Amino acid sequence: KEIAIICNILAMAHLHTEDYKMSQELLKKAELYTENNNARIRAITYNNFACLFRKTKKLRNALSYLEKALEIEYQCLNYPPEENIEQ
């Protein structure tokens, strides 16, 4: 969980300096670290992918990742809290 958070933070720092390749690599790692749990961090990762693709003018990809993030957030909000623990 913490590694995925750090990957997201670093990815956004690299996005800010326009190092798009490193940003994407870090987001891919964050996605891997959230594969089986940590739904909310995965949603953040997808939102960050959307930021990356918007910045690089790949708007369809950006929209796709925003939709994925929204779907995860919707699921997190609509399940009882006991089912949301560890997400």
Side-chain angles (χ1 to χ4, degrees):
K1 175 179 174 177
E2 290 82 11
I3 294 173
I5 293 169
I6 291 169
C7 286
N8 272 287
I9 292 168
L10 291 173
M12 291 298 94
H14 283 280
L15 180 63
H16 185 67
T17 62
E18 299 182 358
D19 186 354
Y20 303 128
K21 183 177 179 183
M22 181 58 75
S23 181
Q24 188 168 12
E25 288 177 19
L26 287 161
L27 290 172
K28 285 179 183 179
K29 287 182 189 227
E31 186 178 26
L32 286 174
Y33 284 114
T34 60
E35 196 165 13
N36 295 320
N37 54 15
N38 301 315
R40 290 194 187 267
I41 298 170
R42 187 173 203 115
I44 291 167
T45 302
Y46 285 159
N47 184 71
N48 289 342
F49 264 118
C51 292
L52 169 66
F53 288 125
R54 182 183 58 85
K55 186 92 169 176
T56 58
K57 310 270 192 270
K58 296 178 182 174
L59 301 181
R60 289 185 193 269
N61 288 358
L63 179 59
S64 174
Y65 275 97
L66 284 174
E67 289 170 341
K68 290 179 185 185
L70 182 60
E71 182 179 330
I72 292 169
E73 289 291 343
Y74 181 81
Q75 289 173 355
C76 288
L77 288 173
N78 289 299
Y79 284 114
E82 61 272 5
E83 293 180 28
N84 249 342
I85 297 174
E86 296 299 317
Q87 293 187 0

